[in-house]
Amino acid sequence: MSDQSAAKPRPRLFGKVLWGVAALGVAAVVYIIGQASTNPDASRGMRAFAKGEMAALQTPKDPRPAPVTTIYDPEGQPVRLGDYRGEVVVLNLWATWCPPCVAEMPTLAALAKHYEGQPVRVLAVSIDRPTEIDKARVFIGQHAPLAFYSDPNMKLAFDLIPPAPGMPTTVIYGADGIERARLSGGADWGGEDAKAVVDHVLGAE
């Protein structure tokens, strides 16, 4: 009798274990779905736009907000990328000593012109040294509607995660300030491939 009574609770215990395993399985599925819905790469499909002039476009494995590095606006006032939340930001790091940077600047100006009146801001940030600032300012002045932004301490390139491997580097942030994609090297930012990328980010906000 004692052996039979001791064996009776086992089915109930086994049932509890099954319910526990099932609950863990459901939780895992919910977690995976939640991760997919909050991962910009998974939900927005940016990799589909890595073609043509944007073939070198990369999407972050761990999307991060823009760094809080101080840069300087056209009036020489300190600003941060976070000041432009609410807009899609196309950040371009460039310098006058960088031939690919100089070559692609007219295309960035064309991109900025195309999105005038829309919540898209093309920020061409010069990393020229203080002694070259005037030269860089004159150069940007020839590429309206771009405005002159500068990072004379060259900090922003290193504060990106991962750091910019060289110049030019272009990073695209959503209106929430989270990185969506980046491209290292020169590209035609005035072409249809680039506009498709920006349109996608703009429409996903």
Side-chain angles (χ1 to χ4, degrees), residues 174-198:
D176 57 0
I178 304 298
E179 181 176 337
R180 296 285 186 265
R182 71 168 68 185
L183 192 152
S184 299
D188 178 7
W189 289 98
E192 295 306 313
D193 294 324
K195 291 173 187 174
V197 172
V198 176

Side-chain angles (χ1 to χ4, degrees), residues 107-165:
T107 72
L108 284 161
L111 185 70
K113 181 70 175 177
H114 177 77
Y115 287 102
E116 281 187 319
Q118 300 185 58
V120 176
R121 185 178 295 265
V122 181
L123 285 182
V125 180
S126 165
I127 64 166
D128 285 279
R129 294 172 295 181
T131 55
E132 301 293 324
I133 287 291
D134 289 342
K135 177 182 177 181
R137 188 186 299 275
V138 169
F139 176 76
I140 284 295
Q142 299 169 353
H143 296 90
L146 295 177
F148 181 71
Y149 289 80
S150 66
D151 176 23
N153 297 316
M154 295 185 10
K155 278 185 56 60
L156 185 53
F158 295 99
D159 289 346
L160 294 174
I161 300 177

